[in-house]
Structure formats: C-alpha cells, structure tokens
Amino acid sequence: MNWETFRNYDALSEGAAALLLDAIRANPKIVLGLPTGNTPLGMYARIIATCSREYHCFRDVVAFNLDEYVGIPRDHPGSYYTFMQRHLFGHVDIEPANTHIPNGIAPDLKVECARYERSIASAGGLGITFLGLGSNGHIAFNEPGTPFDSRTHVVALSESTRRANASFFLDQPVPTHAISMGIGTILESREIVLLASGAKKHDAIARLRSGAQGGDFPASALWSHSNVRVLVDEAASF
Ligand code: GLP
C-alpha cells in the first residue's frame, strides 16, 4: 500500500484529479470505478476544470459507480445518478451509454446485481477504482461484516451511514438499503485509489494504517491488493 499525505483537502483533490486524468491519458478507453460522497467533490471539480480546456478527456472512457440507493428513482435529488450528473457526467464529454450506475428501482434487485457484475466483466473489468472511506471503515456501501469475496449485492445501511449521508437528502428520509459493488468486485480492479480527508476519518485511517485485517473493518481488505494508493490529508493522518 502506497501512502501519500497532502497538506489539506485542496491539495489532496488536486493529487487525486491528476491520478485520474493521467490514467485516462495513458489509456483513453480506461474503465473507471467511481465514488460518491463529499470526499471526491474537489477531485471532480478539478477534473471538470481541466477537461473544459482539454476537451475529449472522457470521449472513450467507461465508468461504473460503486453503488446506488434502493427505492428512489434516478432523478431523485439524493440519488447517486443525480450526484454524478451534477458533479461530473453533466460537465464532461463522457458518452451517457458508458456511464453505469446500479438501478435501485429494478423490479428484481438480485437480477440487477448480477447484471451489473456482467456489465463490468464485459467492459473488460475495472482499470482504476477510486474509493472514499466510511468512518466505520466501509468502502462503497460494504459495511463491517461484509465478506471480502462479496460481489455486487443489496446492503442494509447502518444507522451511522444513513446519518452521515443525510445532508444529501435534506428533509427526506435516507433510504434503508443500497446496491453496492462487493469487496471482491472492487479488489479485482487493477488499481485502487482510496481518498480520506478530515479529522472525522482519522480513526479509520489509523486503523487502516495499522495493517490489521478483519471483517469488522472492510477497508482492511485492501491490504490483499498489490496496487493500492491511499491519499490522505494531514487532518485525517495525524
Ligand atoms: C457513502 C458512500 C461511500 C463513501 C462514504 C464516505 O457511504 N457510499 O462510497 O465513501 O459515503 O463519504 P464521505 O466522502 O462523504 O465522507
């Protein structure tokens, strides 16, 4: 695991955006795994700014989001579909057909999870996947206790995760379930970049850095992968 500590959130976002854009320059047809949440917002803003100068950045890129809520339509203000349109896809030249997000209102969620896995496989697998980190160590929506070999599945969200995401739902209730790529799905990505910023991630980062692997801390599964970078800012790190 390769650790990089940045001075603050802006520097971390700059570093993350550079990694993502370099990956596209190296392989314009790269398959990305993409996160939501507050942490990647700065990275996405910088990518949009760069791509407005350097057009065609995303022309042949394929993207798979890590997760989506169950039971809300994609145009709901709290959906990850809406998040991605607002913060990235609506501002770059990615083909809508190349943007994949699980369908949280599919009539049969198990079938939807299997379909999502098949789409990733038929795109050639994930090339580089960016992850945020839950303060309980979750990656995507894989809560503590999720098997490290799990595939895309339906998840019951913990109370703490629902609270942490409440700001995206304003006064409306946060969904109780989500579809998430599994830990096994994420570990098959050829490269993984984990981003963590701020004092509220401090304990989770300390636990990750300790190297102790265990099902109670999903991000510790990343220790079994040979190409992981962890980008943290000083507040998360010290
Ligand atoms: C949600 C997302 C995760 C994200 C986490 C941390 O649970 N499903 O993918 O990593 O929030 O969010 P934040 O970056 O807002 O701290």
Side-chain angles (χ1 to χ4, degrees), residues 136-147:
N136 62 358
H138 75 236
I139 48 173
F141 268 137
N142 294 293
E143 300 281 16
T146 308

Side-chain angles (χ1 to χ4, degrees), residues 106-175:
D108 184 328
L109 296 174
K110 274 201 163 161
V111 170
E112 172 60 9
C113 293
R115 183 198 66 81
Y116 204 64
E117 284 282 331
R118 278 198 309 276
S119 316
I120 297 171
S122 55
L126 300 167
I128 184 166
T129 297
F130 289 75
L131 302 173
L133 177 66
S135 38
N136 62 358
H138 75 236
I139 48 173
F141 268 137
N142 294 293
E143 300 281 16
T146 308
F148 285 4
D149 61 356
S150 51
R151 313 303 308 183
T152 300
H153 60 302
V154 176
V155 181
L157 300 176
S158 72
E159 272 316 304
S160 69
T161 297
R162 293 180 68 223
R163 262 198 312 278
N165 287 289
S167 64
F168 292 105
F169 284 85
L170 306 171
D171 290 339
Q172 303 192 32
V174 181

Side-chain angles (χ1 to χ4, degrees), residues 19-237:
L19 278 180
L20 194 148
L21 290 167
D22 282 350
I24 297 177
R25 287 186 196 106
N27 174 11
K29 295 185 176 176
I30 197 157
V31 180
L32 301 172
L34 293 179
T36 50
N38 289 302
T39 312
L41 288 174
M43 170 179 83
Y44 289 146
R46 280 162 181 78
I47 289 168
I48 291 168
T50 304
C51 290
S52 63
R53 296 192 297 273
E54 225 178 279
Y55 212 54
H56 300 320
C57 291
F58 281 81
R59 192 173 50 190
D60 298 314
V61 168
V62 178
F64 285 89
N65 267 78
L66 299 171
D67 43 19
E68 178 59 288
Y69 292 104
V70 163
I72 56 172
R74 67 184 206 175
D75 60 355
H76 186 287
S79 77
Y80 285 161
Y81 177 89
T82 298
F83 177 102
M84 291 308 294
Q85 291 304 318
R86 186 174 297 155
H87 297 295
L88 184 66
F89 297 154
H91 309 276
V92 294
D93 62 328
I94 195 161
E95 284 291 334
N98 287 342
T99 63
H100 302 270
I101 301 187
N103 176 7
I105 53 166
D108 184 328
L109 296 174
K110 274 201 163 161
V111 170
E112 172 60 9
C113 293
R115 183 198 66 81
Y116 204 64
E117 284 282 331
R118 278 198 309 276
S119 316
I120 297 171
S122 55
L126 300 167
I128 184 166
T129 297
F130 289 75
L131 302 173
L133 177 66
S135 38
N136 62 358
H138 75 236
I139 48 173
F141 268 137
N142 294 293
E143 300 281 16
T146 308
F148 285 4
D149 61 356
S150 51
R151 313 303 308 183
T152 300
H153 60 302
V154 176
V155 181
L157 300 176
S158 72
E159 272 316 304
S160 69
T161 297
R162 293 180 68 223
R163 262 198 312 278
N165 287 289
S167 64
F168 292 105
F169 284 85
L170 306 171
D171 290 339
Q172 303 192 32
V174 181
T176 54
H177 290 76
I179 293 178
S180 177
M181 277 188 203
I183 297 176
T185 317
I186 293 168
L187 290 177
E188 282 174 11
S189 181
R190 288 184 269 288
E191 284 183 68
I192 297 176
V193 181
L194 179 94
L195 312 176
S197 162
K200 63 178 190 293
K201 300 293 165 68
H202 180 272
D203 292 355
I205 284 298
R207 165 73 203 261
L208 179 62
R209 209 191 288 261
S210 77
Q213 280 190 265
D216 60 325
F217 194 78
S220 67
L222 299 175
W223 281 104
S224 63
H225 192 283
S226 58
N227 193 347
V228 177
R229 283 167 188 258
V230 183
L231 274 50
V232 291
D233 62 10
E234 289 182 358
S237 193

